[in-house]
Amino acid sequence: MKNKLTKFTFLVVVTLLVFNCKKDDGGVAPENEIVTIGGEKMEFADKGSITNVVKQNNTTEISLSDMKSLASFDNSKLIFDGNPAAVKALKNGQVVLFEGNSLRKVVSITESGGKTTVATTNAKFNEYYKSAKVNFEKQMYWTSNNIKNARIKVAGGRIKSVTGTNDDGVEFSGELSGWNLSLKLNPEGGSGRKLNVELTAKRGNLAGIEAKGFISDFSATSDIDLNNGNLDAYNHQHNDLNGELEVKYAFLSLSQIAQISIPLEISRTILVNGVIPVTFTLKCNLKVYPEVAANSTCQAHLKLTYNGTQGFNYNNRNIETAGTLAGFDVTRIGDTGSASEGIVGVGVGLEFPRFQIGIFHSVVVPYILNNTSVQSYFESGLPFVPGPCNQTILGLKGVVGVDLSFFGVSYSASRDLYERKTEFKTPGSKCPAALNPALYGALL
C-alpha cells in the first residue's frame, strides 16, 4: 500500500525571480534548442565592498573598460573584438579576473578575423584571492526596469511554443504530453513590491491545476571571509520575504501517469564593488505524476500566506541554517476532498520561490527554496486498513543547499530551514498514520 501511494503524486516545481520581457515570435522551438528572451544587464549592489585583499601569485585582471570589447563568452573561451593590448598581454597559465564577468585560467590566446580569442578553464576563488573580505546588500524589487535587466532561457525541445507578452510581464504557453500549459509572471504596480505568478495546466476535462500567488520584494545580504587561501566564513540571507500561494486542482478518472518538464532559467546579475558579478538564478520545472482510478474524483482549493527569512551561516567547515518562518496561515476556500469506490491518492508540490546564487558564473548555493505541498488521500474502508479516510494536508518546507568547491573547500550540504503542516479531515475519518509521511516525504 505504501509503495502504491508514493506513485500517486503530482509534483509542480515553479521557481521565480526576475525576468526580461522582450517578446519573441511565439513560434515552435526546434528540438534541443535553447531559447533566450532578452539580454542581461548588470546592476550595482546597494552596498558592497572588497577589503583585506591579498592576491595570489601569477594573477592579473582585465578592467571593466577593456571588457567593453568582449563579443561573446562561454564556459571555455572569451572572444574580444579587435586586439585589446591588455588581453594580448595575458600569459598561458595565468589566473585572470575578467572584471564583471568571470575568473578563468588562460590556456591559449589566438588572433583571427579581427578578433582575439582567449581559451580558458575554470578557476577557483582562492586561486585569485589569497585573502579577501567581500560583503554586499541588495534590495530585490520587481519593477519593469528590473525585468528588462534580466535574462530568460527556456529549453525549447521540452515545450513546443514560447510566447512573450506585454511590456511588464512574460507568459510561457504551450502543449506537452496532452497538457495545455500557461505560466504568467507580472509585477504589480510601479513600486516593485510584489511579483504575481499564475500557473495553469489542463488535460482535457480529466484534470486541471491552477496555482497563483505572489512573492514580495526582499533584501539579499552576503558576507565572505577568505584568509590565507582558506574560506573561514560565508553567510547569506534573504530578509523580509513574504508570499501567498493559492492552489486549486481537480482530477477525474485520470489513470495515466503523465510527466511534464519545462526547464526555465531566470537570471539577474548585480555587481559588487564594480568587480564581482553575483548572479541570482531561478529555475522553473513543472512535473506531473497523477493517478486517479476510474469513477474517482479528487479536488482541493487552499490558500497559504507566509513570511520569514532564508539563509545559512558557514563557519570553519560547519553550516547552520538562518531561516525563520514568522507567519504561516492556511485557509480552505473551496471544495477539498475525494470520492471513490477504492483508494485515491494525489499530491501537489510547488516550489515557489527557488533561488540559486552564483559568483563569477560559478554556482555556490545550489538552492534556497520554499516547497509547498498539498496531498489528498481517500479510502472508503478496505480490509486491513483503518478507514474510512478523507484527508488533505498542506505543508510548507524551507530547504537550503550549498556547494562551496568554488572557494577551494570540499564541502557540500543541505539543511532544512523550517517546516509546517496543516491538516483537514472529514469528520469521522480514521486515516493510517504511516501513509501521510510517505506521500508528504515524496513531495518534499
Side-chain angles (χ1 to χ4, degrees), residues 78-145:
L78 297 92
I79 300 177
F80 294 84
D81 290 327
N83 303 294
V87 176
K88 289 177 60 179
L90 296 176
K91 296 179 175 58
N92 293 352
Q94 278 185 316
V95 175
V96 183
L97 167 58
F98 294 94
E99 292 188 358
N101 184 274
S102 57
L103 271 176
R104 309 293 298 174
K105 184 178 292 185
V106 177
V107 174
S108 65
I109 304 169
T110 58
E111 299 177 36
S112 178
K115 295 184 181 295
T116 302
T117 300
V118 183
T120 65
T121 58
N122 293 327
K124 296 181 178 180
F125 195 83
N126 67 336
E127 290 180 301
Y128 181 84
Y129 291 107
K130 185 175 183 179
S131 296
K133 290 183 180 292
V134 181
N135 67 79
F136 72 85
E137 181 178 341
K138 179 68 174 179
Q139 190 72 25
M140 306 297 285
Y141 290 112
W142 309 108
T143 65
S144 176
N145 285 336

Side-chain angles (χ1 to χ4, degrees), residues 362-379:
S362 294
V363 174
V364 296
V365 181
Y367 52 84
I368 298 178
L369 66 89
N370 273 344
N371 196 336
T372 305
S373 72
V374 182
Q375 57 164 299
S376 296
Y377 174 72
F378 173 87
E379 59 91 359

Side-chain angles (χ1 to χ4, degrees), residues 267-279:
S267 299
R268 178 180 174 185
T269 299
I270 66 173
L271 201 59
V272 177
N273 205 42
V275 176
I276 297 179
V278 179
T279 301

Side-chain angles (χ1 to χ4, degrees), residues 6-135:
T6 56
K7 287 184 178 180
F8 295 149
T9 58
F10 166 82
L11 178 62
V12 181
V13 180
V14 175
T15 53
L16 306 169
L17 188 62
V18 74
F19 41 82
N20 190 295
C21 64
K22 291 186 180 180
K23 187 175 181 179
D24 71 348
D25 59 9
V28 175
E31 291 291 331
N32 301 321
E33 179 175 326
I34 300 298
V35 179
T36 300
I37 301 177
E40 186 174 5
K41 181 180 178 181
M42 289 181 292
E43 307 171 47
F44 287 98
D46 298 334
K47 298 178 182 178
S49 65
I50 306 174
T51 58
N52 295 0
V53 173
V54 178
K55 298 178 183 178
Q56 300 280 16
N57 296 326
N58 198 31
T59 60
T60 189
E61 59 278 331
I62 300 297
S63 69
L64 281 177
S65 59
D66 287 325
M67 290 298 294
K68 291 179 181 178
S69 61
L70 180 67
S72 64
F73 165 74
D74 60 27
N75 289 330
S76 62
K77 59 190 175 185
L78 297 92
I79 300 177
F80 294 84
D81 290 327
N83 303 294
V87 176
K88 289 177 60 179
L90 296 176
K91 296 179 175 58
N92 293 352
Q94 278 185 316
V95 175
V96 183
L97 167 58
F98 294 94
E99 292 188 358
N101 184 274
S102 57
L103 271 176
R104 309 293 298 174
K105 184 178 292 185
V106 177
V107 174
S108 65
I109 304 169
T110 58
E111 299 177 36
S112 178
K115 295 184 181 295
T116 302
T117 300
V118 183
T120 65
T121 58
N122 293 327
K124 296 181 178 180
F125 195 83
N126 67 336
E127 290 180 301
Y128 181 84
Y129 291 107
K130 185 175 183 179
S131 296
K133 290 183 180 292
V134 181
N135 67 79

Side-chain angles (χ1 to χ4, degrees), residues 108-286:
S108 65
I109 304 169
T110 58
E111 299 177 36
S112 178
K115 295 184 181 295
T116 302
T117 300
V118 183
T120 65
T121 58
N122 293 327
K124 296 181 178 180
F125 195 83
N126 67 336
E127 290 180 301
Y128 181 84
Y129 291 107
K130 185 175 183 179
S131 296
K133 290 183 180 292
V134 181
N135 67 79
F136 72 85
E137 181 178 341
K138 179 68 174 179
Q139 190 72 25
M140 306 297 285
Y141 290 112
W142 309 108
T143 65
S144 176
N145 285 336
N146 288 336
I147 290 171
K148 294 175 182 178
N149 287 341
R151 177 183 60 188
I152 301 176
K153 293 175 64 178
V154 182
R158 301 289 186 88
I159 186 169
K160 297 304 181 183
S161 66
V162 180
T163 306
T165 62
N166 67 59
D167 290 334
D168 294 326
V170 68
E171 177 180 354
F172 299 93
S173 60
E175 185 273 333
L176 190 64
S177 300
W179 291 80
N180 291 312
L181 309 171
S182 175
L183 174 63
K184 299 178 182 178
L185 313 172
N186 285 284
E188 182 175 302
S191 65
R193 301 303 301 271
K194 185 184 292 187
L195 171 68
N196 294 312
V197 56
E198 182 176 347
L199 169 70
T200 61
K202 296 181 179 180
R203 191 178 178 91
N205 63 352
L206 297 180
I209 306 100
E210 298 179 14
K212 60 182 180 179
F214 70 84
I215 177 177
S216 71
D217 66 316
F218 63 94
S219 66
T221 61
S222 269
D223 290 282
I224 301 168
D225 189 0
L226 184 75
N227 286 298
N228 199 30
N230 298 313
L231 181 66
D232 286 347
Y234 178 27
N235 308 315
H236 184 89
Q237 192 156 314
H238 298 154
N239 300 299
D240 301 319
L241 182 68
N242 300 280
E244 178 181 282
L245 186 63
E246 180 180 337
V247 178
K248 179 180 181 180
Y249 62 80
F251 295 93
L252 174 63
S253 301
L254 188 62
S255 58
Q256 179 183 0
I257 296 177
Q259 178 178 353
I260 299 174
S261 182
I262 310 174
L264 172 66
E265 294 186 4
I266 306 166
S267 299
R268 178 180 174 185
T269 299
I270 66 173
L271 201 59
V272 177
N273 205 42
V275 176
I276 297 179
V278 179
T279 301
F280 289 78
T281 299
L282 278 296
K283 294 185 177 180
C284 176
N285 191 21
L286 169 64

